């Protein structure tokens, strides 16, 4: 068992978590490494002395995504954009057709970015950076041979079927917010109001 994330609401929940960990240790012989285990405190914080784990005050990574204080959204996109550019750089050294490059964009680049956009919206500056990186990869240089609006079109319409990565990311994030707004299970919850906040420019 690895990478377990637990949400505790108060000091009592923390003590119960520690008790469960101790029972697990007695039953299995495997001990939780409290030094490597990290915690972040929010809201009505429990007593720090009751938390045996390393307390992070800035950022905390869960399943590859950073959560926490100010600028954490940019921190995530900076990391994932760098990973994207590294992948495109590795594939760019091969003699690929545009169809082959489409496959790289869809399955090597877009899939990872869609994972992140389920949590953090893509800032405008990173959206532009992603678009530039994709077109440099497609053409092999900074010079665009065909207008972007044309290359995004399907093959039947005279385009190259290159995915509009920035638009796809924005649409995916907005669809997730809409789902939280209309699903009755989330009515009146924080998820509902945070989603309405992100959708406010279009409401």
């Amino acid at each position: 068992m690895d990478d377990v994330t637990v949400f505790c609401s108060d000091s009592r929940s923390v003590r119960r978590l520690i008790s469960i960990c101790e029972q697990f240790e007695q039953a299995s012989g495997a001990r939780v490494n409290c030094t490597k285990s990290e915690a972040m405190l929010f809201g009505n914080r429990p007593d720090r002395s009751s938390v045996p784990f390393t307390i992070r005050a800035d950022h905390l990574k869960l399943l590859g995504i950073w959560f926490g204080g100010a600028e954490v959204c940019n921190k995530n996109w900076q990391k994932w954009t760098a990973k994207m550019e590294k992948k495109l750089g590795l594939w760019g050294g091969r003699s690929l057709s545009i169809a082959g490059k489409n496959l790289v964009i869809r399955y090597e680049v877009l899939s990872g970015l869609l994972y992140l956009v389920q949590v953090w919206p893509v800032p405008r500056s990173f959206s532009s950076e992603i678009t530039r990186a994709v077109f440099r990869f497609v053409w092999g240089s900074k010079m665009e041979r065909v207008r972007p609006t044309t290359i995004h079109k399907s093959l039947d319409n005279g385009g190259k079927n290159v995915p509009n990565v920035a638009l796809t990311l924005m649409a995916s994030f907005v669809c997730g917010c809409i789902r939280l707004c209309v699903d009755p299970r989330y009515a009146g919850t924080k998820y509902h109001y945070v989603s309405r906040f992100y959708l406010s420019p279009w409401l």
Side-chain angles (χ1 to χ4, degrees):
M1 184 170 59
D2 193 14
D3 288 339
V4 176
T5 302
V6 180
F7 293 89
C8 296
S9 58
D10 50 27
S11 297
R12 180 181 178 184
S13 300
V14 175
R15 290 194 296 270
R16 178 58 178 156
L17 171 63
I18 296 171
S19 175
I20 293 173
C21 290
E22 291 173 346
Q23 293 176 30
F24 173 77
E25 178 185 343
Q26 294 174 4
S28 65
R31 177 180 298 178
V32 175
N33 190 327
C34 293
T35 303
K36 290 186 177 180
S37 301
E38 297 179 334
M40 180 170 281
L41 308 180
F42 298 96
N44 186 16
R45 302 178 178 182
D47 181 13
R48 285 176 175 264
S49 61
S50 66
V51 182
F53 313 118
T54 300
I55 297 179
R56 294 293 301 267
D58 49 1
H59 306 112
L60 187 66
K61 182 185 288 186
L62 301 177
L63 299 177
I65 297 180
W66 290 99
F67 295 87
E71 296 299 321
V72 70
C73 178
N74 288 343
K75 180 181 177 70
N76 277 291
W77 281 104
Q78 185 176 15
K79 168 193 167 185
W80 285 76
T81 302
K83 290 174 63 176
M84 174 203 70
E85 292 179 341
K86 182 178 180 180
K87 286 184 177 180
L88 293 180
L90 292 174
W91 283 101
R94 304 187 181 189
S95 299
L96 298 176
S97 64
I98 291 184
K101 291 178 179 180
N102 273 343
L103 293 176
V104 173
I105 293 169
R106 292 179 186 277
Y107 299 108
E108 283 288 310
V109 173
L110 191 55
S111 59
L113 297 179
L114 283 172
Y115 173 69
L116 177 59
V117 85
Q118 300 304 308
V119 180
W120 293 108
V122 53
R124 188 181 300 274
S125 60
F126 286 96
S127 178
S128 301
E129 185 177 344
I130 290 169
T131 300
R132 287 194 297 270
V134 167
F135 276 96
R136 284 198 300 267
F137 173 67
V138 170
W139 298 122
S141 67
K142 295 183 179 180
M143 182 178 295
E144 298 178 5
R145 304 173 189 175
V146 180
R147 295 177 61 184
T149 53
T150 300
I151 199 172
H152 290 317
K153 292 181 180 179
S154 65
L155 297 176
D156 295 337
N157 292 322
K160 291 297 184 179
N161 206 29
V162 174
N164 189 329
V165 176
L167 184 61
T168 302
L169 293 176
M170 184 180 71
S172 178
F173 180 80
V174 170
C175 286
C177 291
I178 293 174
R179 184 170 61 251
L180 291 174
C181 285
V182 300
D183 192 327
R185 293 177 298 174
Y186 299 105
T189 65
K190 295 178 181 178
Y191 309 105
H192 173 88
Y193 293 113
V194 169
S195 298
R196 285 186 62 86
F197 168 77
Y198 279 119
L199 290 175
S200 58
W202 296 281
L203 294 178

